[in-house]
Coordinates of all heavy atoms in Angstrom, one line a residue:
N234 N -65.8 24.2 -70.2 CA -65.2 23.9 -69.0 C -65.8 24.8 -67.8 O -65.1 25.1 -66.9 CB -63.7 24.3 -69.1 CG -62.9 23.2 -69.8 OD1 -62.9 22.1 -69.3 ND2 -62.1 23.7 -70.8
R236 N -67.2 24.2 -65.0 CA -67.4 23.2 -64.0 C -68.5 23.5 -63.0 O -69.3 22.7 -62.6 CB -66.1 22.8 -63.3 CG -65.0 22.6 -64.3 CD -63.7 22.3 -63.6 NE -63.7 20.8 -63.1 CZ -63.2 19.8 -63.6 NH1 -62.4 19.9 -64.7 NH2 -63.2 18.6 -63.1
V266 N -66.2 18.7 -55.4 CA -64.8 18.5 -55.9 C -64.9 18.8 -57.5 O -64.0 19.4 -58.0 CB -64.3 17.1 -55.6 CG1 -62.9 16.8 -56.3 CG2 -64.2 16.9 -54.2
D269 N -64.6 22.3 -58.1 CA -63.3 23.1 -57.7 C -62.2 21.9 -57.5 O -61.9 21.6 -56.4 CB -63.6 23.7 -56.4 CG -62.4 24.5 -55.9 OD1 -61.5 24.9 -56.7 OD2 -62.2 24.7 -54.6
P270 N -61.7 21.5 -58.6 CA -60.7 20.4 -58.5 C -59.4 20.9 -58.3 O -59.1 22.1 -58.3 CB -60.7 19.7 -59.9 CG -61.1 20.9 -60.8 CD -62.1 21.7 -60.1
L271 N -58.5 19.9 -57.9 CA -57.1 20.3 -57.6 C -56.4 20.9 -58.8 O -56.8 20.6 -60.0 CB -56.3 19.1 -57.1 CG -56.7 18.7 -55.6 CD1 -56.3 17.3 -55.4 CD2 -56.1 19.6 -54.6
P272 N -55.4 21.6 -58.8 CA -54.5 22.1 -59.8 C -54.0 20.8 -60.6 O -53.8 19.8 -60.1 CB -53.5 22.8 -59.2 CG -53.8 23.3 -57.8 CD -54.8 22.2 -57.4
L273 N -53.7 21.1 -61.9 CA -53.3 19.9 -62.8 C -52.1 19.2 -62.1 O -52.1 17.9 -62.2 CB -52.9 20.5 -64.2 CG -53.9 21.0 -65.0 CD1 -53.3 21.6 -66.4 CD2 -54.9 19.9 -65.4
E274 N -51.0 19.9 -61.5 CA -49.9 19.2 -61.1 C -50.1 18.2 -59.8 O -49.3 17.6 -59.6 CB -48.8 20.2 -60.8 CG -49.1 21.2 -59.7 CD -49.7 22.5 -60.2 OE1 -50.4 22.4 -61.1 OE2 -49.6 23.5 -59.5
D275 N -51.3 18.5 -59.3 CA -51.6 17.7 -58.1 C -52.6 16.6 -58.4 O -53.1 16.0 -57.5 CB -52.2 18.6 -57.1 CG -51.1 19.5 -56.4 OD1 -50.0 19.1 -56.4 OD2 -51.4 20.7 -56.2
R276 N -52.9 16.3 -59.7 CA -53.9 15.3 -60.1 C -53.1 13.9 -60.4 O -51.8 13.9 -60.2 CB -54.6 15.8 -61.3 CG -55.4 17.0 -61.1 CD -56.3 17.4 -62.2 NE -56.9 18.7 -62.1 CZ -57.8 19.2 -63.0 NH1 -58.1 18.5 -64.0 NH2 -58.2 20.4 -62.8
I277 N -53.8 13.0 -60.9 CA -53.2 11.7 -61.3 C -53.4 11.5 -62.8 O -54.3 12.1 -63.3 CB -53.7 10.6 -60.4 CG1 -55.2 10.5 -60.6 CG2 -53.3 10.7 -59.0 CD1 -55.9 9.3 -60.0
L278 N -52.6 10.6 -63.3 CA -52.7 10.2 -64.7 C -53.5 9.0 -64.9 O -53.2 7.9 -64.2 CB -51.3 10.1 -65.3 CG -51.2 9.8 -66.8 CD1 -51.7 11.0 -67.6 CD2 -49.8 9.5 -67.2
I279 N -54.4 8.9 -65.8 CA -55.3 7.7 -66.0 C -55.6 7.6 -67.5 O -55.6 8.7 -68.2 CB -56.5 7.7 -65.0 CG1 -57.0 6.4 -64.9 CG2 -57.5 8.8 -65.5 CD1 -57.8 6.1 -63.6
Q307 N -56.5 18.6 -79.0 CA -56.7 18.0 -77.8 C -57.7 18.7 -76.9 O -57.5 19.1 -75.8 CB -55.3 18.0 -77.1 CG -54.2 17.1 -77.8 CD -52.9 17.3 -77.1 OE1 -52.8 17.1 -76.0 NE2 -51.9 17.8 -77.8
A391 N -55.6 10.0 -72.4 CA -54.9 10.1 -71.1 C -55.6 11.3 -70.5 O -55.9 12.3 -71.2 CB -53.5 10.2 -71.1
Y392 N -55.7 11.3 -69.1 CA -56.3 12.4 -68.4 C -55.5 12.7 -67.2 O -55.0 11.9 -66.6 CB -57.8 12.0 -68.0 CG -58.6 11.6 -69.2 CD1 -58.5 10.3 -69.7 CD2 -59.5 12.5 -69.9 CE1 -59.3 10.0 -70.9 CE2 -60.3 12.3 -70.9 CZ -60.1 10.9 -71.5 OH -60.9 10.6 -72.6
F393 N -55.6 14.0 -66.8 CA -55.3 14.5 -65.5 C -56.6 14.7 -64.6 O -57.3 15.6 -64.9 CB -54.5 15.9 -65.6 CG -53.3 15.9 -66.4 CD1 -52.9 16.8 -67.2 CD2 -52.3 14.8 -66.1 CE1 -51.8 16.9 -68.0 CE2 -51.1 14.9 -66.9 CZ -50.8 15.9 -67.8
I394 N -56.7 13.8 -63.7 CA -58.0 13.8 -63.0 C -57.7 13.9 -61.5 O -56.7 13.4 -60.9 CB -58.8 12.4 -63.1 CG1 -59.1 12.2 -64.5 CG2 -60.0 12.4 -62.3 CD1 -60.2 13.0 -65.2
D395 N -58.5 14.8 -60.8 CA -58.4 14.9 -59.4 C -58.8 13.5 -58.9 O -59.9 13.0 -59.1 CB -59.5 15.9 -58.9 CG -59.4 16.3 -57.4 OD1 -59.1 15.3 -56.6 OD2 -59.6 17.4 -57.0
P396 N -58.0 12.9 -58.0 CA -58.3 11.5 -57.6 C -59.4 11.4 -56.7 O -60.0 10.4 -56.6 CB -56.9 11.2 -56.8 CG -56.4 12.4 -56.4 CD -56.7 13.4 -57.5
R397 N -59.9 12.6 -56.2 CA -61.2 12.4 -55.3 C -62.3 12.3 -56.2 O -63.5 12.0 -55.7 CB -61.3 13.7 -54.4 CG -60.1 13.9 -53.5 CD -60.1 15.2 -52.8 NE -59.9 16.2 -53.9 CZ -60.1 17.5 -53.7 NH1 -60.5 18.0 -52.5 NH2 -59.9 18.3 -54.8
M398 N -62.2 12.4 -57.5 CA -63.4 12.3 -58.4 C -63.5 10.9 -59.0 O -64.4 10.5 -59.7 CB -63.3 13.3 -59.5 CG -63.5 14.7 -59.1 SD -63.4 15.9 -60.5 CE -64.7 15.4 -61.5
F420 N -64.2 16.6 -68.4 CA -64.1 18.0 -69.0 C -62.9 18.1 -69.9 O -61.9 17.4 -69.8 CB -63.9 19.0 -67.8 CG -65.2 19.3 -67.1 CD1 -65.7 18.3 -66.1 CD2 -66.1 20.3 -67.3 CE1 -66.9 18.6 -65.4 CE2 -67.2 20.5 -66.7 CZ -67.6 19.7 -65.7
P421 N -63.0 19.0 -70.8 CA -61.9 19.2 -71.8 C -60.6 19.5 -71.1 O -59.5 19.1 -71.5 CB -62.4 20.4 -72.6 CG -63.8 20.4 -72.7 CD -64.2 19.9 -71.2
D422 N -60.7 20.3 -70.0 CA -59.4 20.7 -69.3 C -58.9 19.4 -68.5 O -57.7 19.4 -67.9 CB -59.6 21.8 -68.4 CG -60.5 21.6 -67.2 OD1 -61.0 20.5 -67.0 OD2 -60.8 22.6 -66.5
D423 N -59.6 18.2 -68.4 CA -59.1 17.1 -67.8 C -58.2 16.3 -68.8 O -57.3 15.5 -68.4 CB -60.2 16.1 -67.4 CG -61.1 16.6 -66.3 OD1 -60.6 17.3 -65.4 OD2 -62.3 16.2 -66.3
L424 N -58.3 16.5 -70.0 CA -57.6 15.8 -71.1 C -56.1 16.1 -71.0 O -55.7 17.3 -71.2 CB -58.1 16.1 -72.5 CG -57.7 15.2 -73.7 CD1 -58.2 13.8 -73.5 CD2 -58.0 15.8 -75.0
A425 N -55.3 15.0 -71.0 CA -53.9 15.2 -71.0 C -53.3 14.9 -72.4 O -52.4 15.5 -72.9 CB -53.2 14.2 -70.1
G426 N -54.0 14.1 -73.2 CA -53.5 13.8 -74.6 C -54.5 12.8 -75.2 O -55.3 12.1 -74.6
Q446 N -47.8 14.8 -75.3 CA -48.8 15.7 -75.3 C -49.1 16.2 -74.0 O -49.4 17.4 -73.7 CB -50.0 15.0 -75.9 CG -49.9 14.7 -77.4 CD -51.2 14.0 -77.9 OE1 -51.9 13.4 -77.2 NE2 -51.4 14.0 -79.3
A447 N -49.0 15.3 -72.9 CA -49.3 15.7 -71.5 C -48.4 16.7 -71.1 O -48.7 17.8 -70.4 CB -49.3 14.5 -70.6
I448 N -47.1 16.5 -71.4 CA -46.0 17.4 -71.0 C -46.2 18.7 -71.7 O -46.1 19.8 -71.1 CB -44.6 16.9 -71.3 CG1 -44.4 15.7 -70.4 CG2 -43.6 17.9 -71.1 CD1 -43.1 14.9 -70.8
A449 N -46.5 18.8 -73.0 CA -46.8 20.0 -73.7 C -48.0 20.8 -73.2 O -47.9 22.0 -73.1 CB -47.1 19.6 -75.2
K450 N -49.1 20.1 -72.7 CA -50.2 20.7 -72.0 C -49.7 21.4 -70.8 O -50.0 22.6 -70.5 CB -51.3 19.8 -71.8 CG -52.5 20.4 -71.1 CD -53.7 19.5 -71.0 CE -54.8 20.3 -70.3 NZ -56.1 19.6 -70.3
L451 N -48.9 20.7 -70.0 CA -48.4 21.3 -68.7 C -47.5 22.4 -69.0 O -47.5 23.5 -68.2 CB -47.7 20.2 -67.9 CG -48.7 19.1 -67.4 CD1 -47.7 17.9 -66.9 CD2 -49.5 19.6 -66.2
E452 N -46.7 22.4 -70.0 CA -45.9 23.6 -70.4 C -46.8 24.8 -70.7 O -46.5 25.9 -70.3 CB -45.1 23.3 -71.6 CG -43.9 22.3 -71.4 CD -42.7 23.1 -71.0 OE1 -42.4 24.2 -71.4 OE2 -41.9 22.4 -70.1
K453 N -47.8 24.6 -71.4 CA -48.8 25.7 -71.8 C -49.5 26.3 -70.6 O -49.6 27.5 -70.5 CB -49.8 25.2 -72.8 CG -50.8 26.2 -73.3 CD -51.7 25.6 -74.3 CE -52.8 26.6 -74.8 NZ -53.7 26.1 -75.9
E454 N -49.9 25.3 -69.7 CA -50.7 25.8 -68.5 C -49.9 26.3 -67.4 O -50.3 27.3 -66.8 CB -51.6 24.6 -68.0 CG -52.5 24.1 -69.0 CD -53.7 25.0 -69.2 OE1 -54.0 25.9 -68.4 OE2 -54.2 25.0 -70.4
L455 N -48.7 25.8 -67.2 CA -47.9 26.2 -66.0 C -46.7 27.2 -66.4 O -46.2 27.7 -65.5 CB -47.4 25.0 -65.4 CG -48.4 23.9 -64.9 CD1 -47.6 22.7 -64.2 CD2 -49.3 24.6 -63.9
G456 N -46.3 27.1 -67.6 CA -45.2 28.0 -68.1 C -44.1 27.2 -68.7 O -43.9 26.1 -68.3
K459 N -41.6 24.1 -67.3 CA -42.2 23.4 -66.0 C -42.9 22.2 -66.4 O -43.3 21.4 -65.5 CB -43.1 24.4 -65.5 CG -42.5 25.7 -64.9 CD -43.5 26.6 -64.3 CE -42.8 27.8 -63.6 NZ -43.8 28.7 -63.1
G460 N -43.1 21.9 -67.6 CA -43.9 20.7 -68.1 C -43.4 19.3 -67.6 O -44.0 18.5 -67.0
A461 N -42.1 19.1 -67.8 CA -41.5 17.8 -67.6 C -41.6 17.6 -66.1 O -41.9 16.4 -65.7 CB -40.0 17.8 -68.0
D462 N -41.2 18.5 -65.2 CA -41.1 18.3 -63.8 C -42.5 18.1 -63.2 O -42.7 17.3 -62.4 CB -40.5 19.6 -63.1 CG -39.0 19.6 -63.2 OD1 -38.4 18.5 -63.7 OD2 -38.4 20.7 -63.1
A463 N -43.5 18.8 -63.8 CA -44.9 18.6 -63.3 C -45.4 17.3 -63.7 O -46.1 16.7 -62.9 CB -45.7 19.8 -64.0
F464 N -45.0 16.8 -64.8 CA -45.4 15.5 -65.3 C -44.8 14.4 -64.4 O -45.5 13.4 -64.0 CB -45.1 15.2 -66.7 CG -45.7 13.9 -67.3 CD1 -46.9 13.8 -67.6 CD2 -44.8 12.8 -67.6 CE1 -47.5 12.6 -68.0 CE2 -45.3 11.7 -68.1 CZ -46.6 11.6 -68.3
K465 N -43.6 14.5 -64.1 CA -43.0 13.6 -63.1 C -43.7 13.6 -61.8 O -43.9 12.5 -61.1 CB -41.5 13.9 -62.9 CG -40.5 13.7 -64.1 CD -39.1 14.1 -63.8 CE -38.2 13.9 -65.0 NZ -36.9 14.3 -64.8
R466 N -44.0 14.8 -61.4 CA -44.8 14.9 -60.1 C -46.2 14.2 -60.2 O -46.6 13.5 -59.3 CB -45.0 16.3 -59.8 CG -45.9 16.7 -58.6 CD -46.1 18.3 -58.6 NE -47.0 18.7 -57.5 CZ -46.6 19.2 -56.4 NH1 -45.3 19.4 -56.2 NH2 -47.4 19.6 -55.4
I467 N -46.8 14.3 -61.3 CA -48.1 13.6 -61.4 C -47.9 12.1 -61.6 O -48.8 11.4 -61.1 CB -48.8 14.2 -62.9 CG1 -49.2 15.6 -62.6 CG2 -50.0 13.3 -63.3 CD1 -49.7 16.3 -64.0
Q468 N -46.8 11.7 -62.2 CA -46.5 10.3 -62.2 C -46.3 9.8 -60.8 O -46.7 8.6 -60.4 CB -45.3 10.0 -63.1 CG -45.6 10.1 -64.5 CD -44.3 9.8 -65.3 OE1 -43.3 10.4 -65.1 NE2 -44.5 9.0 -66.4
L469 N -45.6 10.6 -59.9 CA -45.5 10.1 -58.6 C -46.8 10.2 -57.8 O -47.0 9.2 -57.0 CB -44.5 11.1 -57.8 CG -43.0 11.0 -58.2 CD1 -42.2 12.2 -57.5 CD2 -42.4 9.7 -57.8
N470 N -47.7 11.1 -58.1 CA -48.9 11.0 -57.5 C -49.6 9.8 -57.9 O -50.3 9.0 -57.0 CB -49.8 12.2 -58.1 CG -49.4 13.6 -57.7 OD1 -48.4 13.8 -56.9 ND2 -50.0 14.6 -58.3
S471 N -49.5 9.4 -59.1 CA -50.2 8.2 -59.7 C -49.7 7.0 -59.1 O -50.5 6.0 -58.7 CB -50.1 8.2 -61.2 OG -50.6 9.4 -61.7
K508 N -59.0 21.1 -50.3 CA -57.8 21.9 -50.1 C -56.9 22.1 -51.2 O -57.0 21.2 -52.1 CB -56.9 21.3 -48.9 CG -57.4 21.4 -47.5 CD -56.4 20.8 -46.5 CE -57.0 20.9 -45.1 NZ -57.0 22.3 -44.6
Q509 N -56.4 23.2 -51.5 CA -55.5 23.4 -52.6 C -54.2 22.8 -52.2 O -53.8 22.7 -51.1 CB -55.4 24.9 -53.0 CG -56.7 25.4 -53.5 CD -57.2 24.7 -54.7 OE1 -56.4 24.4 -55.7 NE2 -58.5 24.4 -54.9
A510 N -53.3 22.5 -53.2 CA -52.0 21.9 -53.0 C -51.1 22.7 -52.1 O -50.5 22.2 -51.2 CB -51.3 21.6 -54.2
A511 N -51.2 24.0 -52.3 CA -50.3 25.0 -51.5 C -50.6 24.9 -50.0 O -49.7 25.1 -49.2 CB -50.6 26.4 -52.0
L514 N -48.7 21.0 -48.9 CA -47.4 20.5 -49.4 C -46.3 21.2 -48.5 O -45.2 20.8 -48.7 CB -47.2 20.7 -50.8 CG -48.0 19.8 -51.7 CD1 -47.6 20.1 -53.3 CD2 -47.8 18.3 -51.4
C522 N -45.9 13.3 -53.7 CA -47.3 13.6 -53.4 C -48.0 12.6 -52.6 O -49.3 12.5 -52.5 CB -48.1 13.8 -54.7 SG -47.6 15.4 -55.5
L525 N -50.0 14.4 -50.1 CA -51.1 15.0 -50.7 C -52.3 13.9 -50.9 O -53.5 14.1 -50.5 CB -50.8 15.6 -52.0 CG -52.0 16.2 -52.8 CD1 -52.7 17.3 -52.0 CD2 -51.6 16.7 -54.2
I526 N -51.8 12.7 -51.4 CA -52.9 11.7 -51.6 C -53.3 11.1 -50.3 O -54.5 10.9 -50.1 CB -52.3 10.5 -52.4 CG1 -51.7 11.0 -53.8 CG2 -53.2 9.3 -52.6 CD1 -52.8 11.7 -54.6
F529 N -56.2 13.1 -48.9 CA -57.5 12.7 -49.4 C -58.0 11.5 -48.6 O -59.2 11.3 -48.5 CB -57.5 12.4 -50.9 CG -56.9 13.4 -51.7 CD1 -56.3 13.2 -53.0 CD2 -56.9 14.7 -51.4 CE1 -55.8 14.1 -53.8 CE2 -56.5 15.8 -52.2 CZ -55.9 15.4 -53.4

Side-chain angles (χ1 to χ4, degrees):
N234 282 308
R236 305 182 76 103
V266 178
D269 183 25
L271 290 162
L273 288 177
E274 64 270 28
D275 294 320
R276 301 185 191 181
I277 56 173
L278 184 69
I279 201 159
Q307 299 173 52
Y392 301 85
F393 297 137
I394 300 287
D395 186 323
R397 297 166 302 167
M398 293 180 63
F420 284 81
D422 65 5
D423 293 329
L424 186 72
Q446 291 176 340
I448 292 171
K450 175 171 182 171
L451 292 168
E452 288 274 328
K453 181 178 179 180
E454 297 293 331
L455 304 178
K459 297 182 178 180
D462 286 343
F464 187 70
K465 289 179 182 178
R466 177 188 176 103
I467 291 170
Q468 287 181 309
L469 286 175
N470 294 355
S471 305
K508 290 181 179 290
Q509 296 297 321
L514 289 181
C522 285
L525 177 62
I526 302 300
F529 302 155

